[in-house]
Each structure stands twice: as structure tokens, then as C-alpha cells.
Amino acid sequence: VGIHSLLVSRIFKKVYSFEPLQDHFDILKKNILLNRFKNIKIFKKAISKNDKDQVLNILTKNTTATHLNIATRSRYGPVVTKKVKCTSINKINSKIDLIKLDVEGLESELLKKINFKKSFSDFILEVHNKKNARDIFKRLSNFSNIAMYKLKNSKLKIIHNFKDMPSFTKDGSLF
């Protein structure tokens, strides 16, 4: 839990990590302390379209697939729900240089909320299904100042059209 936060903290001066699930929050906090990182600030919140509390679906057999109820992630196995605090993507977007989003299918909805003509961070995105991939591609390809790349197996490839997009997590990450 929090491996990306730990890795990028070696490159960036400040890292903000958002983890709404208490068990994951505690593990991340422990990892930060064990590794003596001083530049990671963790928030016990989810990233969402707005600051309203949301329902979190906790998949008891795979808590890493836990997601907000409004996400398009498919549910498998037993699910427990819990209300969690959220922070709007726009509150953090203008303040930082890089956002790594893995919000289990909510990525395209969050990107719709960002005014890319004004100011925006660089992104690393996980893509969880074809609909999400199509919506992300449609949203980002509207801007001439945004280049998209797919990273898979340590190879970075520019995305020219939808067929180049990752459609699932196993297809690579989107930069």
C-alpha cells in the first residue's frame, strides 16, 4: 500500500497521498515511518468530483479494489460499505505537479471536472475498463497541448488513436 507515494517521494519535494480506507491508511503511515520519509503527507480521504462525503465499497476479499460507489468498477465478492470524506480533484489539481490516479473506474469522471484550458497537473492514470478508456481518450484528445502515453513493460508509447489506449489495468498505465 502506497508504493507509488514512496517511490515518487524520492523525486518530488512534497507528496500528498489520499487513502480513505483505514487499514490502508495505517499501512501507508507505517511504511512512511519505517522508511523515514518526511515529505509525504497522507490524508484519510478519497479523491472525488466534489467535497461531499461518498459511500466507499470495500471489497473484503481484495481491498485494493475498494472504490467509491459512484465509480464504474465492477463488484466481485462480498462488499461492505462505509461513508468517507472526499476532496475535490480541483482542490488539488492546481496545487501540485503530478497526480497519480487509481480510483477504480472514476478516472474519466474526475477528468471531466478539470478545466484543462486554465491550469492542470501531469497525470498517471490507471484505466479499468473500455468505457473509461474511451471517455478518457475523448476528453484528453480535445486538447492540442496534451500528449498521452502508454507505459507497459517499461516501454513508453505515444497514443495517437483509441486503439493505442490501455483499456484495462493489465494493458499499462496512461501518462
Side-chain angles (χ1 to χ4, degrees):
V1 173
I3 189 73
H4 292 100
S5 295
L6 298 174
L7 290 172
V8 299
S9 71
R10 296 186 181 276
I11 301 167
F12 291 93
K13 290 180 185 176
K14 279 187 184 175
V15 174
Y16 298 137
S17 187
F18 293 81
E19 187 53 70
L21 189 58
Q22 185 66 55
D23 291 347
H24 290 198
F25 182 89
D26 293 341
I27 291 167
L28 177 57
K29 190 174 185 177
K30 183 179 176 181
N31 285 338
I32 291 167
L33 292 172
L34 284 172
N35 290 284
R36 297 185 177 130
F37 287 110
K38 306 272 189 239
N39 61 335
I40 302 174
K41 184 171 181 178
I42 54 176
F43 300 87
K44 195 174 169 299
K45 292 182 175 185
I47 300 296
S48 188
K49 299 186 284 185
N50 54 50
D51 289 333
K52 294 178 184 171
D53 291 356
Q54 301 280 338
V55 174
L56 188 69
N57 291 319
I58 304 164
L59 284 73
T60 59
K61 293 192 179 198
N62 180 8
T63 57
T64 61
T66 292
H67 56 277
L68 291 176
N69 198 39
I70 58 174
T72 60
R73 174 86 175 165
S74 61
R75 298 180 192 156
Y76 51 90
V79 175
V80 176
T81 61
K82 180 179 178 165
K83 202 156 210 162
V84 295
K85 295 196 176 302
C86 294
T87 295
S88 165
I89 186 76
N90 280 319
K91 274 195 175 170
I92 62 168
N93 177 51
S94 61
K95 297 177 183 175
I96 55 182
D97 297 323
L98 176 70
I99 296 175
K100 193 271 185 194
L101 275 180
D102 182 3
V103 288
E104 305 297 320
L106 192 59
E107 294 83 4
S108 64
E109 291 300 314
L110 295 183
L111 291 178
K112 288 177 188 174
K113 293 292 182 182
I114 295 171
N115 181 353
F116 286 103
K117 292 179 183 172
K118 188 176 179 185
S119 151
F120 61 92
S121 305
D122 288 329
F123 286 90
I124 301 172
L125 301 174
E126 297 291 328
V127 180
H128 292 276
N129 57 54
K130 273 200 188 279
K131 180 190 180 317
N132 201 27
R134 191 170 286 108
D135 290 347
I136 291 168
F137 181 79
K138 188 176 177 183
R139 173 76 171 132
L140 296 180
S141 61
N142 285 328
F143 302 98
S144 60
N145 61 331
I146 296 177
M148 293 181 280
Y149 297 88
K150 176 170 96 173
L151 178 66
K152 184 176 181 182
N153 300 328
S154 301
K155 293 179 183 165
L156 197 61
K157 180 181 175 188
I158 193 159
I159 294 171
H160 295 288
N161 51 53
F162 180 70
K163 73 175 180 59
D164 299 330
M165 280 285 289
S167 293
F168 301 97
T169 306
K170 66 178 175 53
D171 297 335
S173 295
L174 181 66
F175 284 74

